[in-house]
Amino acid sequence: MLDGPTPKDLLPTTGNYPTEIVRYRSVVLTDIPGAKPARALTGAIDLGEENLPFYNRPAEGMIVTTEQSWSAQGVTLGRLLHSLALAPGESTRVAVVDWQRTTRATGTETASEAEALSGTTDQNRSISEVANAIAREEQDGSSLGFQSSQSSSSGGSVGVAFFNIGAGGNWSKSSNTGIATSVSRSTGVKTVAAETTQRISARTQQLATAARSRNMTVVRETTQTEKDQVLTRVVTNYNHMHAMSVQYYEVVQVYSVTTRPTKLERCLFIPLQELTFTHTSLQRYKEVLASVAPVDWAAKIRAANPFDTAVRRLDACSAPEVPTRQEFDGVELADIAASTMGVYGVRKADGSPVRFDPATQRWNALPTTGLSGGLSRIAPGKNTVWALRATDNMVVQFDGTTWRPDPATGWGLRIACGTDDSVYVVGTNNVIHQRGQSSWSNLGIVADDIAVTGKDKLWYFRQGVVYERSGSNWVQRSATGVQRLSATSDGALWAVVQPQSSTETMPLLVESGATTMVRPTADGLQSVTGLAQIASAAAADYWVRMNNGTVRRILGRETPVAFDDQPKEDSSYASRIDVWSDDTAIRGIQIIFPSHTFGCGDIAASGTQQATYTFGAADKLISYDAWSGKTARGSLAGLRLKMTSGVANFGVAATSNVAPDLSEDAGGASAICGLFGSTVKSGSRTYVASLGFHVRGGNVPQSVLDHLNDNRRHYSQAVWANADELTLSRILANYSYAPAGSTAAPVPLGMLLDPKPIAATGNYLGFRWNFASEEERQEWTDSRKASDNTFGVPVTNTIAIATNGVFAEAVLGRSNSAEKIDLTRFWNWKDSPLQITPADIAPVSTASRAQNLDTTAAGMGVSQAKFAPTVVMPDPVGLQTAQAIATANLFRDMSGLNTMSQVLVKGIESAATNDKEAGVRAQEALKTATEHLQKMAQIAVDAAGKAAPAATGGASNLSALGGMLNQGSKAAADTK
């Protein structure tokens, strides 16, 4: 029961158990349903091949979990690192210093600055100064002055001395009388005239531009790793005759590594469309895109501000203001007609042909080459002008330079042309004839006048009753009293009617496709009376010939109806635009946004052409042109949108090479986010009169978007891999997938897929694919055992890994002088010890060798863009002459009043001077008396001083004397 001398559980062993187990997962595609057959590899593969197909169907795959077991088998010796040889009895010191340092520093700096300063100063001044001044003076007057002045002064002094009395006095008096009389008369005239013209024009235009390029990107990546290890030891060879080598080997750890698959999981790969990056997508994925972009582009992506957007209104075509009436003085016509070629007439005076020039707004005469005599009627068609010669009613035609008789030889009283160049006449026998290729055919209908809107589209009237051609028959229409018919290019029919109850004529209108005549609603035509004929080359542009031959132009138009589709927050871009148009103008526009649809005008109107343009992903509007129409004056006839993905043409813009009437640059690529403008009615039709777009532009440089879209696959994968689970789960919930051969009902992927991606390859994004039931899981797992050769069998390999350990082994030298173990030889090492005193080694330094790396970016310089100060303009000087007329004391004083005033002042000063002298003399007398009194008082004081000592008994003064007398009196009193 007791343990033996060597218990097995205490003996160290290796290789029984793995010391480390490592597991990793691999995601593999196992099946791509619907994939195209692979091409046979018969040559080199071109990595630059474009238009390679993307994955467009879900693919099945597996997550294979592989396990590696590392079992230690032992250690062995590796490479020989160092060998130390020692002679017999040699001792040495060994120092092993292991020092390692890695330093890395990167600094990148790019600067970009843009500075522009411009200024324009205009100084203009024009001054014209005219000054005329006349000053007149006439003075007549006299001045009389009387002056009387008197002054007196007296003074006296009295002085009394101790022993005498003295007195002194003085008196003075002065007077002055003056009379001054002055009589003067003066007249004067001064005239001042000055005229000054000053024109100063100064223009200062300064432009200072300083442009510097500096995109500051400073990347500081500094890594310093330092390791320092010092090991010292003493190595001694105790052999007296044997050399010894110490060999150092690295220690190698040996492992047995077994790799085998341990777990299989099902996954499903979902194909995704590559993203097209706009400022909207940049808002959502800005940080993700910057994290996978190169350093320079990452800085630009982070600097872009996709949230800074603004909506602008851009007008493509504005409805112009037009006059409602235009009169032509001096123009009298016998006939007037209009077509797409323009408006033509026959002059009433001489029958010469004329044409209206829209550019000059004048009636100009046509050439009369080949025309003998004048015309009675004129009818412009599509490419040829037809007319009736006045002398014989022959049909003639005009090719632009020369008049020629009709080759088919026809005559008539009335003539009319359709828009397709079909020609009809009412012959001299009042029968309608139609012109064929080389002859005229008789229709057998008697008429007074005829109007043609197109081939087989005829109207005529006979004795005031109107008829319309319907197939081969004629149908009477409800209108009486008709005197003249005319047709317009838009298919409408105009009639001049005189009701039986009125003596005035009035116009009636038959819209294209209608059969009833109604009063027109166009402005300016309801109230026209006395008219004889109506012509129109375009809708809302009517020409009226009055009974007296005068011509009036009426521009009728209804009030436009405005529409405005304001931008929606969730409708930042348009996905499609539909345009309905006819031969002359645009009838309606419909634009489709992700959240709503907006339309204006006649949408889906019958008989109109439709054009559709689908915007590409993130398509932007670069510029657009608009053509103004004819049917409704100022309406839209054509529209051209220039997009980043192509050009869209609508209306006449699709076939016309004519330059547009209006153009507008969108100011850079912008997304269409709204529509505004107006519509207008022309008869029973509605047209788009004006149009504009709401565009939203973001503060994102186009170069950034171009870079993202040029590398969209790389950036799309980054977005897919970092998509949040909520977004992915919402998307996956809308789809279902059934494996090949499965009979189970489809289940939404949102219920089976883990919305966290596990792999991305190509345009595939892989998800864990859970099972709908445990039975399905077991069936799938059994069919794909981990031991299946498809995924490999366990593999065991031996791997050696070097360690930090070192093994040292001493090896004796091999030679003939090897020592023998013999008692006769020296063997007691203590009797003769070896001196183990190897030489000292130099001190080992372990100081740090790290250095500071400066990656500071340089500062920007001072801008040199400055403006020079503007020079001040001089002040005008022309009025200085005129100012002289207002100067004070313009005329010299001729009355002598100043002189008289000076005389009177002198008299007063003289009297005042006499009085002053009297006062001075009185003061001198007072001074003399005062001095006398002072002298008398001094004499009295001196006399008293001499008499006092004798009287006081030798006392120096009266006080001393008094003291002596008092003391004597006191002593005398004591003796009594």
Side-chain angles (χ1 to χ4, degrees):
M1 297 298 294
L2 298 177
D3 291 334
T6 56
K8 294 183 178 180
D9 58 339
L10 296 180
L11 293 177
T13 59
T14 58
N16 292 336
Y17 301 98
T19 59
E20 187 175 359
I21 298 177
V22 179
R23 296 181 179 86
Y24 60 91
R25 293 183 177 90
S26 300
V27 181
V28 295
L29 282 168
T30 60
D31 182 28
I32 304 178
K36 297 180 179 179
R39 291 179 289 180
L41 182 59
T42 58
I45 297 176
D46 182 12
L47 293 180
E49 182 179 356
E50 298 181 355
N51 300 323
L52 292 174
F54 279 167
Y55 299 124
N56 55 7
R57 295 190 181 184
E60 299 180 10
M62 289 193 303
I63 306 173
V64 181
T65 303
T66 305
E67 179 182 279
Q68 280 187 343
S69 300
W70 292 66
S71 300
Q73 300 298 312
V75 294
T76 185
L77 299 182
R79 296 177 303 162
L80 176 64
L81 301 178
H82 182 65
S83 178
L84 177 62
L86 296 176
E90 181 182 1
S91 178
T92 185
R93 291 181 185 270
V94 178
V96 179
V97 179
D98 185 5
W99 174 80
Q100 180 181 359
R101 188 188 73 224
T102 301
T103 301
R104 179 183 178 185
T106 303
T108 302
E109 177 182 352
T110 303
S112 177
E113 286 189 3
E115 180 178 356
L117 181 65
S118 62
T120 302
T121 303
D122 290 332
Q123 294 181 343
N124 295 283
R125 180 170 66 182
S126 177
I127 299 176
S128 296
E129 298 173 337
V130 178
N132 292 298
I134 299 176
R136 298 179 181 274
E137 180 198 36
E138 181 173 353
Q139 299 181 12
D140 186 6
S142 62
S143 60
L144 174 63
F146 175 79
Q147 176 263 335
S148 176
S149 61
Q150 181 178 358
S151 63
S152 63
S153 62
S154 61
S157 63
V158 178
V160 180
F162 187 71
F163 296 106
N164 201 359
I165 298 173
N170 182 59
W171 290 266
S172 64
K173 182 178 181 181
S174 65
S175 62
N176 183 37
T177 303
I179 300 174
T181 302
S182 177
V183 179
S184 64
R185 179 180 181 85
S186 63
T187 61
V189 177
K190 284 191 176 181
T191 301
V192 178
E195 181 174 353
T196 301
T197 300
Q198 182 178 192
R199 290 185 176 86
I200 299 177
S201 178
R203 178 178 177 84
T204 302
Q205 183 169 356
Q206 302 180 10
L207 177 62
T209 303
R212 293 176 286 182
S213 177
R214 183 174 188 178
N215 287 325
M216 183 169 290
T217 302
V218 179
V219 180
R220 300 179 181 178
E221 183 178 352
T222 303
T223 303
Q224 290 188 349
T225 303
E226 187 169 338
K227 179 182 179 182
D228 203 342
Q229 183 179 4
V230 179
L231 178 65
T232 62
R233 61 177 59 184
V234 177
V235 182
T236 304
N237 182 7
Y238 279 91
N239 297 289
H240 282 222
M241 298 185 63
H242 289 264
M244 182 180 67
S245 297
V246 182
Q247 298 176 352
Y248 295 88
Y249 296 88
E250 67 176 354
V251 178
V252 177
Q253 179 75 45
V254 180
Y255 290 93
S256 176
V257 180
T258 302
T259 303
R260 61 180 179 273
T262 60
K263 184 180 180 181
L264 299 179
E265 296 178 84
R266 188 174 66 167
C267 62
L268 185 65
F269 288 86
I270 305 298
L272 299 175
Q273 290 287 345
E274 288 187 347
L275 299 176
T276 300
F277 294 97
T278 65
H279 76 280
T280 303
S281 56
L282 191 59
Q283 290 176 359
R284 300 178 59 185
Y285 311 119
K286 180 178 179 180
E287 288 302 324
V288 174
L289 299 174
S291 64
V292 297
V295 177
D296 293 343
W297 284 106
K300 295 179 181 180
I301 292 174
R302 289 190 172 95
N305 186 7
F307 293 94
D308 183 13
T309 61
V311 175
R312 293 183 295 156
R313 289 170 59 95
L314 300 177
D315 293 331
C317 175
S318 299
E321 295 293 334
V322 295
T324 59
R325 175 179 293 187
Q326 188 176 8
E327 304 286 348
F328 297 90
D329 296 334
V331 178
E332 294 183 1
L333 303 180
D335 191 29
I336 188 172
S339 71
T340 55
M341 297 181 64
V343 182
Y344 293 78
V346 176
R347 189 174 294 168
K348 186 177 180 180
D350 54 4
S352 61
V354 293
R355 183 180 185 275
F356 180 76
D357 184 10
T360 61
Q361 298 291 299
R362 297 173 60 88
W363 286 89
N364 298 330
L366 290 177
T368 57
T369 304
L371 180 63
S372 58
L375 302 176
S376 60
R377 295 290 183 265
I378 194 168
K382 184 178 181 180
N383 299 305
T384 306
V385 178
W386 299 84
L388 298 178
R389 195 162 56 188
T391 56
D392 54 2
N393 294 327
M394 176 179 282
V395 178
V396 294
Q397 60 182 2
F398 179 65
D399 60 1
T401 59
T402 306
W403 291 90
R404 295 183 177 87
D406 176 27
T409 310
W411 291 267
L413 302 176
R414 298 284 191 271
I415 188 170
C417 294
T419 56
D420 54 357
D421 251 353
S422 57
V423 183
Y424 295 84
V425 298
V426 176
T428 55
N429 57 355
N430 290 105
V431 177
I432 300 176
H433 292 75
Q434 180 181 4
R435 189 181 187 278
Q437 291 292 334
S438 58
S439 62
W440 292 85
S441 59
N442 189 337
L443 299 184
I445 302 298
V446 179
D448 295 330
D449 197 3
I450 188 172
V452 181
T453 59
K455 187 177 182 181
D456 295 330
K457 296 181 180 179
L458 284 71
W459 294 71
Y460 79 91
F461 79 88
R462 177 63 176 171
Q463 297 178 353
V465 181
V466 178
Y467 298 86
E468 179 188 9
R469 186 172 186 176
S470 178
S472 59
N473 300 321
W474 294 88
V475 180
Q476 180 179 343
R477 297 305 181 189
S478 58
T480 57
V482 176
Q483 296 184 350
R484 191 67 188 267
L485 289 177
S486 62
T488 60
S489 59
D490 62 348
L493 179 73
W494 287 90
V496 177
V497 179
Q498 181 178 359
Q500 297 178 357
S501 59
S502 174
T503 59
E504 298 293 343
T505 56
M506 66 179 184
L508 289 180
L509 169 66
V510 180
E511 288 281 355
S512 177
T515 59
T516 304
M517 288 190 172
V518 295
R519 290 295 301 273
T521 59
D523 295 338
L525 281 178
Q526 302 95 328
S527 59
V528 175
T529 59
L531 73 165
Q533 189 179 353
I534 299 176
S536 176
D541 189 358
Y542 308 104
W543 296 85
V544 177
R545 185 177 68 88
M546 310 303 292
N547 288 328
N548 59 359
T550 58
V551 178
R552 181 183 302 172
R553 187 183 186 187
I554 298 176
L555 302 173
R557 177 173 183 172
E558 294 186 357
T559 303
V561 179
F563 61 85
D564 192 355
D565 176 44
Q566 289 290 333
K568 309 293 191 303
E569 290 297 331
D570 56 350
S571 298
S572 58
Y573 59 91
S575 59
R576 196 180 75 187
I577 183 173
D578 301 328
V579 176
W580 286 264
S581 62
D582 55 22
D583 294 337
T584 55
I586 291 179
R587 299 283 297 276
I589 295 179
Q590 177 177 272
I591 189 165
I592 301 174
F593 297 98
S595 62
H596 73 289
T597 300
F598 179 80
C600 61
D602 287 341
I603 302 300
S606 60
T608 59
Q609 301 173 353
Q610 179 186 4
T612 299
Y613 180 80
T614 300
F615 297 103
D619 212 350
K620 298 295 184 71
L621 175 66
I622 298 177
S623 65
Y624 50 92
D625 305 321
W627 282 258
S628 60
K630 300 178 180 179
T631 300
R633 184 173 180 81
S635 64
L636 213 63
L639 180 64
R640 175 177 295 158
L641 304 180
K642 297 179 182 178
M643 314 299 297
T644 53
S645 64
V647 178
N649 292 313
F650 306 104
V652 299
T655 57
S656 175
N657 295 324
V658 180
D661 296 335
L662 301 171
S663 62
E664 178 77 21
D665 191 347
S670 304
I672 298 177
C673 56
L675 196 66
F676 66 93
S678 63
T679 59
V680 63
K681 280 186 172 293
S682 178
S684 61
R685 303 178 183 181
T686 301
Y687 293 92
V688 178
S690 62
L691 180 67
F693 297 100
H694 295 287
V695 294
R696 178 182 284 112
N699 187 19
V700 178
Q702 189 63 34
S703 58
V704 174
L705 297 178
D706 292 341
H707 168 75
L708 295 175
N709 290 313
D710 291 342
N711 304 275
R712 63 183 61 187
R713 181 171 301 181
H714 167 72
Y715 290 109
S716 295
Q717 287 181 340
V719 172
W720 299 336
N722 291 274
D724 60 280
E725 297 182 9
L726 177 60
T727 300
L728 291 175
S729 62
R730 291 176 59 188
I731 295 175
L732 295 175
N734 298 317
Y735 298 92
S736 63
Y737 173 75
S742 175
T743 58
V747 179
L749 292 178
M751 300 175 59
L752 298 178
L753 298 185
D754 184 355
K756 185 176 182 180
I758 58 171
T761 175
N763 65 317
Y764 268 145
L765 197 62
F767 301 89
R768 278 188 172 86
W769 186 12
N770 300 318
F771 295 92
S773 62
E774 187 62 30
E775 290 78 6
E776 185 181 358
R777 177 193 301 274
Q778 189 64 37
E779 180 183 356
W780 186 88
T781 304
D782 293 342
S783 63
R784 296 170 177 82
K785 293 295 185 179
S787 59
D788 190 350
N789 291 335
T790 304
F791 308 103
V793 296
V795 177
T796 302
N797 295 318
T798 299
I799 298 177
I801 299 178
T803 66
N804 292 330
V806 178
F807 179 83
E809 182 177 2
V811 180
L812 293 177
R814 301 173 182 177
S815 62
N816 294 330
S817 61
E819 292 180 316
K820 294 182 179 180
I821 302 176
D822 193 348
L823 294 178
T824 62
R825 295 181 182 274
F826 183 82
W827 59 272
N828 190 354
W829 305 105
K830 296 181 180 180
D831 295 341
S832 181
L834 296 176
Q835 300 297 322
I836 307 176
T837 57
D840 293 335
I841 63 177
V844 179
S845 176
T846 60
S848 175
R849 300 168 178 82
Q851 298 179 355
N852 293 327
L853 302 176
D854 186 10
T855 58
T856 304
M860 298 299 296
V862 180
S863 174
Q864 300 299 323
K866 297 180 180 179
F867 277 159
T870 304
V871 179
V872 180
M873 299 182 68
D875 295 331
V877 298
L879 292 177
Q880 292 183 356
T881 304
Q883 291 175 354
I885 201 69
T887 304
N889 301 325
L890 177 64
F891 294 97
R892 179 172 57 87
D893 186 8
M894 303 171 61
S895 63
L897 183 60
N898 292 335
T899 304
M900 184 188 69
S901 299
Q902 294 176 1
V903 173
L904 295 178
V905 171
K906 289 295 183 179
I908 296 173
E909 290 178 353
S910 299
T913 302
N914 295 334
D915 181 63
K916 180 178 178 182
E917 293 295 333
V920 170
R921 287 192 294 270
Q923 290 177 359
E924 291 178 354
L926 179 60
K927 180 178 180 182
T928 301
T930 302
E931 292 176 351
H932 176 72
L933 290 177
Q934 291 177 350
K935 290 180 180 181
M936 294 297 292
Q938 185 64 37
I939 294 173
V941 173
D942 292 341
K946 294 179 180 180
T952 60
S956 60
N957 50 42
L958 294 178
S959 299
L961 179 60
M964 294 173 62
L965 291 178
N966 292 333
Q967 185 62 31
S969 299
K970 183 177 180 182
D974 292 339
T975 57
K976 291 180 176 181

